[in-house]
Amino acid sequence: MRGRCCTGWLAWVGLATLPVPAFAQPDPSGIQFVTVGSPGNAPFLQGIYTFNRGEVDYTYRIGKYEVTTSQWAEFMNAAFDRPSSDRLPFVNVPLAWGAAAITPTNPGGRHWTVSAANDMIPVGGISWRTAAMYCNWLCSGKSSQRSAFLSGAYDVSTFGYYNNGSTFTDQVAHSPGAAYWIPTLDEYLKAASYDPNRFGQGQGGWWAWLNQSNSTPVYGPPGVTVNGQPTTANSDHWFVTYPNSDPYAVPLGAYNVTSAFGLYDTAGATTEWVEETVHFTDERYPRNRLTMGSSRDSLPGGADRTGATGSDYPSMIDSSYGLRVASSIPAPATGLLMCVWCGPFLLRRRPA
């Protein structure tokens, strides 16, 4: 028998059926991630909370889009369609999204469905704590077990208030080794506004505005022009000019503007939570969490500049608050490494 090619030998030793590298497969979370590289970039040198921030010395991933209605509905169904004796704390139903209520599986539970047309509608009205529990659920592989919502990235048992409710005791940063988490301030800032080729190939720098330019965004519904320029930001400001339009119905990715790393809607959709806490002088615990990026109900102008949009209590629910998930870089699957290592031997011909 004549020699076999690598594929034949792989099949013979059982390696051909091993999985391809994880980075070549859809992420199990269902989220489309982009990779943010260029570790060790220069920091951003503007803003109150963002001055000398944004330097990240490792490669990571972050959502290409904010969480979509379909992604959030899957989480809501897992969290709410449960027996009445198994209610979860700190999980709220969003104030603005594209899902519709249907009959639940469990009596007393809640369940939602999403039409294809509403798949990419952004989700507004997510508290920081609910966002943290979503990351826990993703870390568990979307398990329906109660414990899957309560730990993984954040320990929900730490969630509480102190000093008559003016400060909070929540776990400050995600647990080491978590696969999914709420982005840090530095991670979000870099992914949204740093450009590795800002001043030429390999010459990195920062954009002043979230439309990837140093000019004020142009406001209006997607697909229209204002003074001959295409609209580049989604904000309630244009709702006044276009009263028959609904900014809450604009799907994610509708504006053809991305960050240098491929993020859509940093200048639009919702204001996105980050991990960063805000401390007041001499207080033991933090008061607020920061939000980043502008939102569909921001006023035009300053809110779309690179920097922090504002801050709020981690339990606060507002239609402008949403989420973009950060993630670690998955390791290559073992099968590929074995194929590379064994390749020279597997390619040899057997004697006739």
Side-chain angles (χ1 to χ4, degrees):
M1 178 177 171
R2 302 300 300 172
R4 304 186 185 190
C5 67
C6 182
T7 302
W9 274 100
L10 285 174
W12 182 75
V13 298
L15 293 178
T17 58
L18 289 175
V20 296
F23 50 76
Q25 299 174 328
D27 192 86
S29 67
I31 296 172
Q32 288 183 267
F33 287 105
V34 299
T35 299
V36 181
S38 299
N41 60 289
F44 188 61
L45 298 177
Q46 297 180 35
I48 298 174
Y49 294 109
T50 55
F51 181 80
N52 204 34
R53 299 297 297 271
E55 181 180 359
V56 181
D57 62 1
Y58 52 87
T59 299
Y60 60 99
R61 300 188 303 166
I62 194 167
K64 182 177 183 178
Y65 305 100
E66 298 173 7
V67 291
T68 68
T69 287
S70 290
Q71 290 163 354
W72 202 251
E74 185 182 4
F75 170 61
M76 289 285 98
N77 290 337
F80 279 96
D81 199 351
R82 314 172 69 82
S84 57
S85 60
D86 194 23
R87 294 287 182 260
L88 293 167
F90 308 115
V91 181
N92 66 273
V93 179
L95 301 177
W97 62 329
I102 59 174
T103 303
T105 303
N106 293 283
R110 304 180 69 178
H111 204 99
W112 293 267
T113 187
V114 182
S115 67
N118 287 346
D119 175 27
M120 293 293 288
I121 294 297
V123 183
I126 299 174
S127 73
W128 190 95
R129 287 175 173 172
T130 302
M133 293 180 71
Y134 177 69
C135 293
N136 286 347
W137 180 68
L138 294 181
C139 288
S140 77
K142 302 182 180 180
S143 169
S144 61
Q145 296 296 316
R146 182 181 182 83
S147 59
F149 300 86
L150 304 181
S151 65
Y154 305 92
D155 183 355
V156 174
S157 70
T158 66
F159 291 3
Y161 283 103
Y162 181 76
N163 195 24
N164 295 320
S166 62
T167 60
F168 62 86
T169 59
D170 304 23
Q171 178 177 330
V172 172
H174 62 278
S175 300
Y180 306 96
W181 62 88
I182 299 169
T184 67
L185 168 60
D186 297 312
E187 289 166 348
Y188 187 98
L189 186 63
K190 178 177 179 176
S193 296
Y194 183 75
D195 186 342
N197 302 307
R198 168 74 174 84
F199 299 106
Q201 187 65 36
Q203 301 177 55
W206 293 85
W207 293 105
W209 293 81
L210 291 171
N211 62 339
Q212 292 297 287
S213 77
N214 288 326
S215 303
T216 308
V218 179
Y219 296 93
V224 303
T225 58
V226 178
N227 297 326
Q229 299 182 63
T231 52
T232 56
N234 173 15
S235 165
D236 258 354
H237 173 62
W238 60 255
F239 182 64
V240 178
T241 310
Y242 303 88
N244 295 323
S245 299
D246 180 8
Y248 286 84
V250 176
L252 295 167
Y255 294 86
N256 191 27
V257 180
T258 71
S259 74
F261 293 105
L263 275 64
Y264 281 92
D265 303 303
T266 54
T270 68
T271 302
E272 302 163 39
W273 289 108
V274 293
E275 280 190 345
E276 190 78 6
T277 58
V278 178
H279 278 79
F280 282 14
T281 305
D282 299 327
E283 287 187 332
R284 177 183 177 186
Y285 295 109
R287 283 181 173 260
N288 292 344
R289 298 277 189 175
L290 282 184
T291 56
M292 297 290 290
S294 68
S295 80
R296 53 195 170 192
D297 55 6
S298 298
L299 293 175
D304 290 312
R305 284 189 179 276
T306 293
T309 304
S311 66
D312 217 326
Y313 290 114
S315 59
M316 182 60 66
I317 303 169
D318 186 281
S319 62
S320 64
Y321 295 159
L323 171 68
R324 190 186 304 262
V325 177
S327 174
S328 55
I329 301 293
T334 306
L336 177 70
L337 298 178
M338 292 182 67
C339 181
V340 172
W341 184 82
C342 296
F345 302 97
L346 298 176
L347 285 171
R348 292 179 181 175
R349 293 182 180 272
R350 298 179 63 191

